[in-house]
Structure formats: C-alpha cells, structure tokens
Amino acid sequence: MSGRHESWFDDEAGPLVRSYAVTGGRTRSDTLGLDLITLVVAMRTAREVASLEPEYAQILSLCQKPTSVAEVAARVDLPLPVVKVLLSDLIEHNLVLFRTAAPPTEAPNKHVLQAVLDGIRKL
C-alpha cells in the first residue's frame, strides 16, 4: 500500500460510480429487445414520479418526445447496456413506452411501396 488515501472522487471527473452500481448489478435487459434504433417516449415527467434515482429522472426528462435508445445513451453519458437496463426498468413500471422497428425479414407491402413511388413521381 502506498499510504495514499483512496477516494471515490476524482478532481477532474467528479464522483466515480461504477456502471454496475447504477443498475444494481444487473447487466442484461434482453427481454424487451431494445436496440439502438428503438424509440422510447416517457409517459410521465420526472416531477410527477416521486423519489426517482437521478439516472431514471434524467432519462424521463430526455424522453418527453420520441427518442432513440442510442440518443438517450449519448445524452446521459452512460454505456449503452446500462441505459438499456434503466430503460427496461422504466418500461416495466409503465413510465416509458417503446416501439421497435419492423424486423428486416418482414418485407414491406408491395402496394404501399408502389403508391409511395407513384406519389413521388407526381411531385
């Protein structure tokens, strides 16, 4: 031991909190199928929900309009897996709704694509 006092505070970075501490040790949230382009939107504001952890409140504030999971992760400055766990918690508590993109194996309706193409040609 160097005799130095170890601290949970870094003068430049601020308080150091490990990702697993934010998620309560959980590392996976695969049950909902959230990916980078999944859109999430808050059903309530952070003010309406009492005693939220700061990370949850920040996510609710960011999701007042539809926002992708990737954008949420970038704005809260947390790793993507951590954000997925936090979003999964909020979804399970009915505070956030989510919509995933159609699976790539699901082909778009040919008639709809033709109608779009016809509309573009008329412009």
Side-chain angles (χ1 to χ4, degrees), residues 62-84:
L62 288 171
C63 295
Q64 292 303 302
K65 61 180 183 171
T67 309
S68 71
V69 171
E71 188 173 346
V72 172
R75 289 188 176 191
V76 297
D77 198 27
L78 288 171
L80 182 63
V82 172
V83 171
K84 285 183 174 183

Side-chain angles (χ1 to χ4, degrees), residues 11 15 17 24 28 30-31 33-34 65 80 93 107-108 110 116 122:
D11 290 334
V17 178
R28 296 187 183 252
D30 296 338
T31 58
L34 300 176
K65 61 180 183 171
L80 182 63
H93 287 93
K110 186 177 180 179
V116 170
K122 288 180 182 179

